Amino acid sequence: MPPKPCQPGPKDSLLQCFIKRNRSTQTYYLYLGLTNSALSDGGKFLLAARKCRRPTCTDYIISLQAEDFSKGTNTYAGRLRSNFLGTKFTVFDGQSPQAGAKMGKSRSSRLANLRQVSPSSNYPMAHISYELNLLGSRGPRRMQCNMNTIPATSIAPGGLDPTTQAELNPYQSTPTSFLSKSASMENSVSDQKNGGLVLINKAPRWHEQLQCWCLNFHGRVTIASVKNFQLVASPENEPAGPEHEKIILQFGKVGKDLFTMDYRYPISAFQAFAICLSSFETRIACE
């Protein structure tokens, strides 16, 4: 049975997927591929995204259906939005963090919950930033992902599952639709400081013979690209443990418009897909 896009991946191994890009329609399709043959045979469809360029930003509308990108329907999963330079991104979930909580008995509580899970609403669940690359084309991109809705303790032995955390504390973040722009930014910064999981690049090694930066993708990536990356949990100010060595998400090129995407617990297919979409954007200062 294929995983649900909103559920965390497996704990014991990376779940192998791949992304197909359609340049003419600016559309990206995510498929589940449990074997390498799925890359050529086609896998189980999971999610799709369409790029929408705007005067001051770029949006990627993410959908549960391959051809329906309407924000006012129940197929709307969320979106990824970049700043003008394409160096900072916000992942918005189309579902409220309160959706998993039990509704109150009062009529006003029921109405409030119905408004909060409206497909047209958006809730910031992650922030992605790319740092200035001082080495130019010789150096890899550096990125950081602040997963606002996933506690850093989720990766520790016996850590609480993110979905369980949301059910126990469903009011941990405030829906964007009820905040001013400044209040929304302050809320996201607060989430990052309150023990949220932070993902960072796994450090590559310089290969003297090949004269390039290299990462070991264990055969899952075959074409060198600045888009390729592996993400691990950042220890922040704590001592690094074995849990900080595990690759949580890796993404890389295997064809002109074909990419592999492998992810694991505690992030979901939706979160992994949104992070990978950010890698497709051209960054003036980060190349």
Side-chain angles (χ1 to χ4, degrees), residues 131-229:
E131 295 181 17
L132 178 64
N133 190 350
L134 299 178
L135 297 178
S137 60
R138 287 171 54 87
R141 288 174 175 170
R142 295 185 62 186
M143 62 189 293
Q144 177 174 301
C145 304
N146 295 281
M147 312 303 294
N148 302 344
T149 58
I150 302 178
T153 54
S154 63
I155 64 169
L160 198 61
D161 187 294
T163 53
T164 305
Q165 175 79 12
E167 292 174 1
L168 293 177
N169 187 16
Y171 302 102
Q172 60 184 338
S173 67
T174 308
T176 307
S177 55
F178 303 140
L179 295 174
S180 66
K181 185 174 181 180
S182 59
S184 177
M185 291 297 292
E186 290 173 2
N187 186 65
S188 66
V189 171
S190 175
D191 284 340
Q192 295 171 21
K193 292 181 178 179
N194 289 336
L197 179 67
V198 177
L199 302 179
I200 58 174
N201 290 84
K202 183 177 177 64
R205 295 182 179 180
W206 178 254
H207 197 294
E208 286 295 338
Q209 292 181 334
L210 299 177
Q211 289 293 294
C212 65
W213 294 94
C214 294
L215 288 168
N216 186 1
F217 288 91
H218 300 283
R220 288 287 290 163
V221 176
T222 58
I223 299 176
S225 172
V226 71
K227 295 179 176 64
N228 302 346
F229 65 80

Side-chain angles (χ1 to χ4, degrees), residues 113-130:
N113 276 282
L114 287 173
R115 284 196 296 269
Q116 290 167 1
V117 298
S118 169
S120 60
S121 299
N122 292 279
Y123 308 90
M125 65 187 314
H127 295 269
I128 307 164
S129 60
Y130 288 81

Side-chain angles (χ1 to χ4, degrees), residues 19-120:
I19 297 172
K20 287 184 177 180
R21 174 175 60 183
N22 186 322
R23 292 174 182 263
S24 61
T25 60
Q26 294 288 283
T27 307
Y28 304 81
Y29 302 96
L30 175 65
Y31 298 90
L32 175 66
L34 297 179
T35 63
N36 290 333
S37 61
L39 290 173
S40 56
D41 299 339
K44 173 67 178 179
F45 171 80
L46 293 178
L47 292 165
R50 177 159 292 172
K51 183 177 181 178
C52 303
R53 193 174 295 280
R54 309 188 189 283
T56 58
C57 64
T58 299
D59 277 344
Y60 287 83
I61 307 301
I62 304 175
S63 174
L64 298 172
Q65 296 293 329
E67 300 300 333
D68 185 1
F69 296 95
S70 303
K71 292 180 64 176
T73 66
N74 57 8
T75 63
Y76 173 68
R79 65 189 170 100
L80 172 75
R81 168 164 287 189
S82 77
N83 64 357
F84 177 73
L85 292 178
T87 56
K88 296 184 183 297
F89 297 79
T90 302
V91 180
F92 294 95
D93 187 1
Q95 295 295 317
S96 166
Q98 288 89 337
K102 294 181 180 179
M103 288 188 178
K105 294 183 179 180
S106 68
R107 182 174 182 273
S108 60
S109 297
R110 291 196 300 270
L111 289 175
N113 276 282
L114 287 173
R115 284 196 296 269
Q116 290 167 1
V117 298
S118 169
S120 60

